[in-house]
Structure formats: structure tokens, C-alpha cells
Amino acid sequence: MEWLPSSSPVQLPDPNHPAPEPSRLLAAYRAMVVGRRFDAQATTLTKQGRLAVYPSSRGQEACQVGAALSIGAQDWLFPTYRDSVALVTRGIDPVEVLTLLRGDWHCGYDVPSTRTAPQCTPLATQTLHAVGLAHGEARKGRDTVALALIGDGATSEGDFHEALNFAAVFRAPVVFLVQNNGYAISVPLAKQSVAPSLAHKGIGYGVRSEQVDGNDAAAVLSVLDTAVAHARSGGGPFLVEAHTYRMEAHTNADDAGRYRSPDEVEQWRQRDPIDRQERQLRESGHLDDTAVEQIAAEAEEFAVQVRSRMQAEPSTDPADLFRHVYAEPTPQLTEQLAQLRAEQEAL
């Protein structure tokens, strides 16, 4: 049946998946290079104490960039805590992206105007939000697709399965992109699921599914283009599993050396998505040394600007603790805010 995933992850060239236009592949390469430099800079900021935590997505750039480039400005993105590069690729201010991870605010960017939900830390809860929004937009007759990013560990959560079932029953225009990076923190995939692939989890719900080499940027774009077109045309939800790898630790608080070997990491380093995309573009004549150097310089300047702006101390108001907790503040919150104001005036 057409909704069954391929027996092995899709790689290009593939007769069933047309290659994206060279201009899109070049744009993806540029976004991956800039995204990786941003990711490295954010990791450094964490070590300097400028961020409370940062979950690196180094090695997963093809998935991050592919997700952002596969949807339009009218569509919605529902990211996880590890998807900062996807948000930067979507055009969101990088300092606003890092605001949550610095602990300054609940979400640093404007959700309605960016059509990007806050980065979600609880596993899989945003899948239900994505389905609900997609269903609501469809009922209003709007041309909107919701794309929900999740990790492999999230596929073990009940919310993920509820989201698949609801989306299938109501044919909601939503795409689920599972970034299978091999580990749910320290738990390997083999201890999470014995299914042939995580893409197969869509079968029981009647959700069209596919699996793709998540380190092949061209293949990721091609498969996601198919998934988004399927959802947009009224075909219902689509589940994509991207096989990739998290090169860094889960976060700066994690010691990945305790549960995976250097040899395993090195094997995946040889499949680096940026290196692979660069080789493909060079071979096709769409990239040369000059362009590579220009893009690298652009990425470095991007990092310099992020670093400079993140060095500035944020302006905070303690009263922000009480804002947006409820639409109408409760008597208890009003009383607590008054106490805070009185203490501030007494200083």
C-alpha cells in the first residue's frame, strides 16, 4: 500500500523521489553551514555561563534545515528544545531563539507572527498541539500545514500515538518528522522499539509514512516536499522518520562517553551532512572554493553578531513572573504582585 514506508531509508538518487532544484540545495547548504556555526557558538555561550543549557543538534543539520525549508510562511512549525537551528533557518532572530535557554522569558520570539510554537521540552506534547492547530485551520478553509519535530524517544510517549490517531481520523494536514538520532538521552533505540523502523509506527493508524537518510540533505528535502504536498492537498497526515545522529552530548549536563563509544561517533562523523552536501554540489558544478569561503565567512559573521549581542546583560522585570500565567490574574497572583511592587518601592 502507498502509505507503507520504504524498506530502507531513502537516499538520492531515487526514482520515486525527485531531486530538489540546485538553488534549493545550495540554500540548504548555506543554512546548514550557518546553523552549525550558530550551534557551536551557543555551546560556547553555555560554557561561559551565558546560557543555562543548550541541546546541540550538531550532525542533524540536514533534518533541521530541511524542516524549515519544506514549509511556507503560511505554515506552522512545532519544534522541540533541540531544534534551534531550524528556528534560525526559519528566519527567527537567533538571540530571541536563545532567550528561553538563557532563562529570560518563557519564549523569546513572537509566536503568532513567526507561526512557530515555543520550543517544547516535554516529550511529544507539541504533537497534539500541531494536530489541533492543523485541524482547526482546515476547518476554517485555510491553506496551512503544521510540521511537528520530535525525537526518537518521543515516539514512546502516549501523546505521540494520540496525535497520530486523531490526525488520521480527521485527516489533519500535519507532518510529523521524527529525528531518530539513535538515543533518547542515554537509552539506545534498541531498548525503545523493536519495530522495523519508527516510520512503521504510522501503519497502525493509517498514516502514510516514509523513512529517509537524515544526513542526506537532498533526500530529506525531497521526502519532506512529498509529505507537505500530501498534507496540503487533503491527503491527511504524513509521518517521516529521518535516520541521523547527535554528534554532541544530549546537553552540556550529559556525559555521552558513558553510553556510546568513540568508534561509533567516528563512523557517523564520516557521514557528516554538510560534507556530503558540499561534495554533491561541487560534483554538480554548483559550488566552488570561492563560494565555500564566502559562506564560511557569512557563518562566522553570524556567530560574531550572536556572541556580541548575547554578552549584553538582559533587562528583566520581576513582574514578568506573573504575566501570562492566566488570561485573568487570580486574586492570589494579584496579591503576590502587589507585595512584590511594595518590596521594590521599599528598596
Side-chain angles (χ1 to χ4, degrees), residues 8-342:
S8 60
V10 172
Q11 294 179 323
L12 294 190
D14 183 288
N16 298 317
H17 297 277
E21 293 293 324
S23 59
R24 291 187 73 209
L25 296 178
L26 187 59
Y29 171 76
R30 175 178 283 104
M32 288 194 292
V33 173
V34 172
R36 175 165 294 183
R37 186 63 187 88
F38 163 78
D39 186 90
Q41 184 60 68
T43 298
T44 300
L45 289 168
T46 305
K47 295 177 181 178
Q48 295 173 344
R50 290 291 178 180
L51 295 180
V53 65
Y54 182 73
S56 172
S57 60
R58 181 181 177 89
Q60 299 181 214
E61 289 89 356
C63 301
Q64 301 269 303
V65 169
L69 296 184
S70 66
I71 55 177
Q74 78 274 28
D75 300 321
W76 275 78
L77 183 67
F78 286 78
T80 74
Y81 54 86
R82 196 178 301 284
D83 299 318
S84 296
V85 169
L87 303 189
V88 169
T89 304
R90 190 153 168 79
I92 299 176
D93 185 325
V95 173
E96 293 183 357
V97 171
L98 296 175
T99 295
L100 170 67
L101 300 172
R102 184 159 60 173
D104 293 344
W105 191 242
H106 309 292
C107 180
Y109 48 88
D110 184 78
V111 170
S113 65
T114 61
R115 300 181 83 82
T116 302
Q119 288 181 272
C120 187
T121 299
L123 298 188
T125 55
Q126 81 279 16
T127 59
L128 291 168
H129 304 159
V131 172
L133 181 138
H135 179 54
E137 291 288 274
R139 285 178 60 88
K140 294 175 181 178
R142 295 173 179 168
D143 178 24
T144 304
V145 171
L147 193 156
L149 292 164
I150 57 175
D152 47 291
T155 65
S156 298
E157 296 289 331
D159 285 350
F160 170 72
H161 295 272
E162 293 172 13
L164 283 180
N165 190 59
F166 188 103
V169 170
F170 291 97
R171 300 180 69 82
V174 59
V175 175
F176 303 93
L177 175 59
V178 180
Q179 297 178 81
N180 178 4
N181 63 23
Y183 291 91
I185 307 182
S186 60
V187 180
L189 182 65
K191 292 187 177 180
Q192 293 184 63
S193 174
V194 294
S197 75
L198 296 179
H200 280 77
K201 290 179 180 275
I203 296 174
Y205 299 102
V207 174
R208 186 175 173 185
S209 306
E210 187 57 279
Q211 56 178 328
V212 62
D213 182 343
N215 284 22
D216 182 344
V220 171
L221 271 173
S222 180
V223 170
L224 285 178
D225 283 348
T226 298
V228 171
H230 172 87
R232 195 181 304 281
S233 66
F238 202 116
L239 171 64
V240 177
E241 176 192 6
H243 296 261
T244 185
Y245 195 77
R246 166 172 53 81
M247 297 302 297
E248 304 294 339
H250 178 69
T251 69
N252 53 296
D254 174 42
D255 179 8
R258 299 183 64 181
Y259 54 84
R260 65 185 190 185
S261 69
D263 288 343
E264 177 182 299
V265 177
E266 182 56 34
Q267 289 175 7
W268 278 94
R269 196 183 308 280
Q270 300 303 315
R271 301 173 60 186
D272 184 275
I274 296 179
D275 291 344
R276 290 173 67 178
Q277 187 64 19
E278 181 178 330
R279 285 196 300 270
Q280 292 171 8
L281 287 169
R282 284 181 180 274
E283 291 170 359
S284 64
H286 293 95
L287 190 68
D288 56 22
D289 289 343
T290 300
V292 169
E293 292 172 2
Q294 289 176 343
I295 292 171
E298 176 187 337
E300 187 59 36
E301 178 59 26
F302 189 86
V304 168
Q305 292 299 322
V306 170
R307 181 169 64 248
S308 175
R309 294 174 62 199
M310 288 295 292
Q311 295 298 331
E313 294 296 335
S315 176
T316 59
D317 180 358
D320 286 345
L321 292 168
F322 303 94
R323 295 195 175 101
H324 308 300
V325 179
Y326 294 102
E328 295 292 335
T330 63
Q332 292 86 353
L333 282 178
T334 301
E335 180 182 355
Q336 292 169 19
L337 177 59
Q339 292 175 350
L340 171 65
R341 292 303 193 196

